[in-house]
């Protein structure tokens, strides 16, 4: 297989771009085969991609090429491009040789010194009319359209595949190279830098280190010897020194390919040493110190290892004095920077302490003022709460006094009503109610049939004062019950409801008569009513 670098050297910029696009879409690792496919299609990328996926095309191309090299394929492709532009390539049997004093003009045509075609040649080559092209041109057109559609689909699929796979970063590429190296030569190898060459340059300038740049080519004949030499224990131990950064790259990747062009390497695998150098501006820069010329020549692992160590040692020894001086200068600048940083830190710390002290004093004064204001506010609020509580207690006492007076007055009215309707209750049908109070006490009482639910509510409301009257015969307002009157302007609120359990009926219309209310639910003339509180009792 030809050297990949030699293959790339024979390409122009446009051909390299076509090769890059072809490799990105097809993922072809064989540059020699890629160049042959492109050259066979006159460097038309789309046609070359289409033909690459044609079954058996690449095999037929390699068989047809036989022993032809890639350079011959390139020459054939360039010659074909010249013929398509109407210019005969030099050395062709169909072209004519220019005279000793003749030269090609700027537009690519022969000058007068060159020979020209004879008129009889042109006449003899005049095309003859044929009917076959007229018959087959629809099929040719259909084939071209199908070819265009297939090429477009293949291009779209290739772009989608690249988009789905993503563009690998240099860290991933370095990891892949390291995995390949470990799989082929073992786990013992120099500590390869993970990152781009630019990252390695930045690290080397920051730490004043040397970069040992390894440009790898798996197809080179010396790749195995070179790989075993890198995996040699002496080389691993030597390159593991803190002053070295080992960066390795495969020439099939863009970063390594660009590094090969910048360093001028022509034989691979290649090893170069980059080191810092001082410039007029005072800031160090990296430069190529040396490159192992003529490629690796040793044939054994030990000899190659010693050759690599000797090469790097000589380069480093020639620059150690300057690198040490630059390192000392950088350390002096770093020490001066640290001193300034310490002085600034001390000043900022002192300023921060003063500011903190002032802030603490201001906060303490503000806190004292806030506590004083809060104490005054709490005192005012407590006084307001006490006053509000006193007013509420007085209002509750006043309301309770009015409620108690109303109950005694209502009890006097009930007694008067009962004495007047005693004869009616004995001679006519009466409503007999069994009332279960909130405390569980059961009272059975008869009401006149013309009584309303209001009489039942009043009867239940006055049971507390009725028990007190029955026990003592004295009221808070004297011993004469009939003289007690309800407080003026007072409206009583009943805090209970009368409910029948079977069926469940809530009797909330106090204006309805007992006969109507009980008959509506089939409970006349006797019923059991339960006194249910409207509000939950407070703890």
């Amino acid at each position: 297989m030809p050297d990949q670098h030699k293959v790339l050297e024979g390409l122009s910029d446009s051909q390299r771009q076509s090769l890059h696009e072809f490799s990105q879409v097809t993922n072809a690792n064989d540059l020699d085969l890629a160049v042959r496919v492109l050259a066979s299609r006159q460097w038309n990328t789309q046609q070359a991609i289409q033909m690459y996926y044609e079954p058996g095309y690449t095999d037929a191309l390699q068989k047809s090429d036989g022993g032809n090299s890639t350079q011959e394929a390139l020459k054939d492709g360039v010659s074909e491009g010249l013929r398509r532009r109407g210019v005969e390539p030099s050395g062709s049997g169909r072209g004519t040789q220019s005279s000793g004093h003749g030269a090609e003009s700027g537009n690519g045509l022969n000058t007068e010194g060159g020979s020209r075609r004879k008129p009889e040649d042109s006449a003899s080559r005049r095309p003859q009319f044929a009917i076959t092209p007229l018959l087959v041109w629809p099929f040719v057109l259909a084939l071209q359209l199908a070819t265009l559609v297939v090429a477009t689909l293949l291009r779209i699929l290739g772009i989608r595949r690249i988009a789905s796979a993503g563009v690998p970063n240099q860290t991933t590429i370095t990891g892949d190279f390291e995995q390949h190296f470990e799989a082929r030569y073992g786990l013992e190898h120099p500590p390869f830098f993970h990152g781009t060459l630019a990252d390695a340059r930045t690290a080397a300038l920051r730490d004043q280190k040397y970069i040992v740049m390894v440009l790898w080519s798996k197809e080179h004949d010396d790749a195995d010897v070179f790989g075993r030499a890198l995996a040699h224990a002496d080389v691993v131990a030597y390159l593991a020194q803190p002053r070295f950064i080992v960066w390795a790259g495969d020439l099939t990747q863009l970063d390594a390919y660009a590094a090969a062009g910048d360093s001028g390497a022509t034989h691979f695998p290649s090893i170069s040493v980059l080191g810092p150098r001082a410039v007029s501006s005072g800031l160090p820069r990296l430069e190529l110190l040396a490159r192992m010329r003529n490629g690796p020549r040793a044939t054994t692992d030990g000899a190659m290892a010693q050759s690599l160590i000797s090469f790097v040692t000589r380069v480093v020894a020639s620059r150690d004095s300057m690198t040490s001086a630059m390192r000392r200068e950088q350390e002096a600048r770093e020490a001066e920077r640290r001193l300034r940083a310490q002085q600034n830190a001390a000043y900022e710390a002192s300023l921060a302490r003063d500011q903190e002290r002032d802030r603490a004093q201001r906060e303490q004064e503000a806190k004292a003022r806030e506590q004083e204001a809060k104490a005054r506010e709490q005192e005012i609020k407590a006084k307001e709460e006490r006053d509000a509580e006193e007013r509420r207690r007085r209002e509750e006492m006043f309301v309770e006094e009015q409620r108690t007076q109303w109950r005694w007055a209502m009890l006097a009215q009930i007694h008067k009503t009962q004495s007047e309707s005693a004869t009616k209750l004995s001679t006519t049908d009466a409503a007999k109610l069994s009332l279960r109070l909130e405390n569980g006490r059961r009272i059975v009482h008869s009401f006149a049939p013309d009584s309303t639910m209001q009489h039942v509510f009043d009867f239940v409301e006055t049971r507390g004062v009725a028990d007190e009257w029955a026990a003592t015969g004295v009221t808070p307002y004297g011993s004469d019950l009939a003289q007690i009157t309800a407080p003026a302007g007072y409206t009583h609120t009943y805090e209970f409801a009368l409910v029948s359990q079977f069926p469940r009926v809530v009797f909330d219309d106090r204006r309805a008569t007992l006969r109507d209310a009980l008959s509506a639910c089939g409970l006349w003339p006797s019923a059991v009513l339960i006194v249910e509180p409207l509000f939950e009792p407070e703890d």
Side-chain angles (χ1 to χ4, degrees), residues 251-267:
L251 286 177
T252 58
Q253 304 299 332
L254 294 179
D255 201 6
Y257 179 75
D262 294 340
S263 63
T266 57
H267 295 78

Side-chain angles (χ1 to χ4, degrees), residues 18-148:
S18 300
L19 178 61
H20 176 70
E21 294 177 359
F22 181 86
S23 300
Q24 288 292 328
V25 175
T26 61
N27 290 331
N29 296 323
D30 191 348
L31 295 183
D32 178 57
L33 178 60
V35 170
R36 292 190 179 192
V37 174
L38 286 168
S40 67
R41 307 310 299 174
Q42 287 77 44
W43 293 93
N44 188 314
T45 307
Q46 294 184 358
Q47 295 183 8
I49 293 173
Q50 174 189 352
M51 299 308 297
Y52 180 80
Y53 287 106
E54 287 290 335
Y57 179 78
T58 55
D59 297 337
L61 182 63
Q62 291 176 348
K63 292 179 181 179
S64 63
D65 287 346
N68 290 342
S69 64
T70 305
Q71 298 297 329
E72 294 174 352
L74 293 176
K75 182 178 179 181
D76 293 341
V78 173
S79 300
E80 182 63 24
L82 293 175
R83 294 190 189 101
R84 293 176 62 183
R85 292 193 296 267
V87 180
E88 291 294 335
S90 60
S92 173
R94 289 171 294 181
T96 55
Q97 299 291 336
S98 61
S99 62
H101 58 274
E104 292 182 353
S105 62
N107 55 8
L109 299 177
N110 291 337
T111 58
E112 294 180 357
S115 60
R116 300 185 180 182
R117 292 181 179 178
K118 298 180 181 180
E120 56 274 13
D121 293 340
S122 300
S124 62
R125 295 182 182 181
R126 184 175 300 170
Q128 300 295 327
F129 176 77
I131 194 172
T132 303
L134 295 178
L135 296 177
V136 301
W137 76 265
F139 302 99
V140 174
L141 180 60
L143 179 60
Q144 291 178 351
L145 291 176
T147 303
L148 180 61

Side-chain angles (χ1 to χ4, degrees), residues 7 45 48-49 80 138 226 266 270 272 335 368 405 482 502 519:
V7 172
T45 307
I49 293 173
E80 182 63 24
F226 194 83
T266 57
S270 171
S272 305
Q405 183 179 352
F502 299 106
S519 299

Side-chain angles (χ1 to χ4, degrees), residues 241-252:
Q241 299 181 55
R243 59 178 176 172
F244 293 124
I245 295 177
V246 182
W247 185 89
D250 196 329
L251 286 177
T252 58

Side-chain angles (χ1 to χ4, degrees), residues 259-311:
D262 294 340
S263 63
T266 57
H267 295 78
F268 303 99
S270 171
I271 183 169
S272 305
V273 179
L274 287 76
R277 69 178 179 90
V279 295
S280 58
S281 60
L283 298 177
R285 297 182 61 182
L286 283 180
E287 66 174 350
L288 178 64
L289 301 182
R291 183 182 67 253
M292 183 176 286
R293 298 183 180 276
N294 298 326
R297 292 302 181 185
T299 56
T300 63
D301 299 349
M304 174 60 73
Q306 294 301 322
S307 176
L308 292 178
I309 294 175
S310 300
F311 167 70

Side-chain angles (χ1 to χ4, degrees), residues 324-342:
S324 300
M326 294 173 60
R327 187 179 295 110
R328 288 193 298 270
E329 183 180 355
Q330 183 177 0
E331 291 175 354
R333 289 197 299 268
E334 184 66 20
E336 183 180 358
R337 186 191 64 78
R338 287 196 299 267
L339 178 60
R340 287 198 303 268
Q342 292 175 358

